[in-house]
């Protein structure tokens, strides 16, 4: 219950839900074809074009609406695949131990030291048609190792708990011990890792599009920034060409970060306690109670 009523989490989920809605219906409600050229060249925001137009007359508002789907698809798909890989590798290594732990830990270490973004750029640049799904697969293949290390460390602690030992003593199979005794205690950690991976995937997708490595015919916020930068929108004073995409990226990143902060507070008792103490102090201050610092000489 604390997690659901956390104001940070509620705000983050609200903003994320808004972007998910736009991703679902954006192509249907877009007033224009994002690639269609029009007679209104490089016009500022107006009733006809809420976010203005490009120098070829394309509607920026339609580009933002249509491009939201690509950003979220890559982020969520990459986050889901990377999280599944991290759970399989990390929990298996931590629970089984021995040779399996050594092999899987070595595999995680290899992917940890590999520079993720340069490798993604190389992989995507060699593909003839880098679709959103291909980019999501490339990002997830390099984004699971850190989560696997965290889950391994948590599993090493959980596998020695009394309830796990009691279940093992009753003859439970290994897979049942992992699924029913260990995994429920890792839910918040897995959720936090998923959110972090989604943030990494979204930024990676936008970066690939902005530098022109991804297919620039597929609209997303990075593609909007790519064309704005190539056509020197800043030099021409066309702030409406790049500001909406930048604000969208900032809002989505903030929403995901707020969700992650909420998960951290739910997992970490210290954060919950400190937040509750600060709230109680603020309530006492608002009620008119002023804290008094007592010293050794005031005992008389």
């Amino acid at each position: 219950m604390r997690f659901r009523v956390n104001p940070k989490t509620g705000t983050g989920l609200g903003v994320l839900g808004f972007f998910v809605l736009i991703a679902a219906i954006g192509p249907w409600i877009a007033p224009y074809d994002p690639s269609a050229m029009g007679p209104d060249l490089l016009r500022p925001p107006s009733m006809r074009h809420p976010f203005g137009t490009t120098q070829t007359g394309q509607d920026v508002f339609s580009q933002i609406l249509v491009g939201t789907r690509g950003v979220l698809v890559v982020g969520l798909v990459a986050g889901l695949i990377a999280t599944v890989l991290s759970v399989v590798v990390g929990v298996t290594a931590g629970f089984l131990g021995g040779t399996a732990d050594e092999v899987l830990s070595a595999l995680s270490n290899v992917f940890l030291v590999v520079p993720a973004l340069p490798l993604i750029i190389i992989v995507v640049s060699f593909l003839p048609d880098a679709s959103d799904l291909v980019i999501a697969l490339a990002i997830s293949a390099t984004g699971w190792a850190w989560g696997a290390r965290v889950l391994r460390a948590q599993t090493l602690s959980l596998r020695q708990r009394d309830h796990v030992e009691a279940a093992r003593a009753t003859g439970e199979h290994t897979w049942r011990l992992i699924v029913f005794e260990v995994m429920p205690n890792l839910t918040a950690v897995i959720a936090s890792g998923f959110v972090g991976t989604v943030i990494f995937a979204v930024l990676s997708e936008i970066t690939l599009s902005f530098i022109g490595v991804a297919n620039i015919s597929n609209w997303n916020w990075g593609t909007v920034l790519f064309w704005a930068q190539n056509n020197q929108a800043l030099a021409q004073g066309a702030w409406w060409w790049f500001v909406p995409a930048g604000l969208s990226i900032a809002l989505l990143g903030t929403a995901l970060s707020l969700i992650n902060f909420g998960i951290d507070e739910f997992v970490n008792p210290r954060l919950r306690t400190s937040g509750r103490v600060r709230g109680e102090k603020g309530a006492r201050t608002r009620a008119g109670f002023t804290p008094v610092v007592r010293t050794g000489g005031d005992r008389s």
Side-chain angles (χ1 to χ4, degrees):
M1 179 61 70
R2 289 195 190 105
F3 176 71
R4 287 183 292 181
V5 301
N6 188 302
K8 295 179 182 177
T9 308
T11 303
L13 288 174
V15 176
L16 179 60
F18 170 76
F19 280 115
V20 171
L21 178 63
I22 294 300
I25 66 175
W28 298 339
I29 65 175
Y32 303 95
D33 182 350
S35 301
M37 301 179 184
D40 300 324
L41 306 182
L42 209 63
R43 296 291 179 85
S46 62
M47 293 296 295
R48 186 175 180 180
H49 301 284
F51 290 172
T53 61
T54 69
Q55 68 176 16
T56 57
Q58 295 170 328
D59 184 61
V60 178
F61 182 63
S62 299
Q63 294 177 353
I64 296 296
L65 290 178
V66 175
T68 304
R69 177 178 294 182
V71 172
L72 288 185
V73 165
V74 171
L76 295 177
V77 171
L80 180 62
I81 296 175
T83 301
V84 171
L85 290 175
S86 64
V87 169
V88 172
V89 175
V91 176
T92 302
F95 193 85
L96 296 182
T99 304
D101 184 18
E102 294 179 1
V103 173
L104 294 176
S105 295
L107 180 64
S108 300
N109 292 335
V110 169
F111 279 90
L112 277 175
V113 300
V114 171
L117 188 58
L119 180 60
I120 295 171
I121 293 175
I122 293 173
V123 172
V124 173
S125 61
F126 275 98
L127 297 175
D129 184 17
S131 63
D132 291 338
L133 182 59
V134 172
I135 294 175
L137 292 174
I139 294 173
S140 61
T142 59
W144 60 269
W146 176 253
R149 295 293 293 177
V150 173
L151 290 172
R152 173 186 176 274
Q154 293 291 328
T155 305
L156 286 173
S157 174
L158 289 172
R159 71 177 184 178
Q160 302 299 333
R161 299 288 177 86
D162 293 340
H163 67 281
V164 178
E165 293 294 339
R168 184 183 287 111
T170 61
E172 292 285 356
H173 293 289
T174 300
W175 70 269
R176 288 186 61 87
L177 292 175
I178 294 176
V179 174
F180 295 104
E181 302 297 337
V182 175
M183 291 288 291
N185 295 282
L186 296 174
T187 303
V189 180
I190 294 172
S192 179
F194 170 76
V195 174
T197 306
V198 171
I199 295 175
F200 169 72
V202 167
L203 295 178
S204 298
E205 157 75 349
I206 293 171
T207 300
L208 293 173
S209 299
F210 178 69
I211 64 179
V213 174
N215 190 349
I216 56 177
S217 63
N218 294 333
W219 285 104
N220 61 60
W221 301 338
T223 309
V224 176
L225 295 177
F226 169 81
W227 289 113
Q229 190 269 340
N230 272 16
N231 292 280
Q232 300 180 345
L234 182 61
Q236 299 184 63
W239 55 267
W240 58 87
W241 197 344
F242 55 86
V243 167
L247 288 178
S248 299
I249 296 169
L251 283 174
L252 180 59
T254 301
L256 293 171
S257 298
L258 288 174
I259 295 173
N260 214 358
F261 293 155
I263 295 174
D264 287 341
E265 290 186 2
F266 179 75
V267 175
N268 193 337
R270 295 180 182 178
L271 296 177
R272 292 203 303 268
T273 303
S274 62
R276 187 162 54 249
V277 170
R278 288 194 300 268
E280 292 173 355
K281 287 182 178 180
R284 287 198 297 269
T285 303
R286 289 190 297 271
F289 294 99
T290 303
V292 178
V293 179
R294 295 183 178 272
T295 60
D298 295 334
R299 296 178 180 176
S300 57

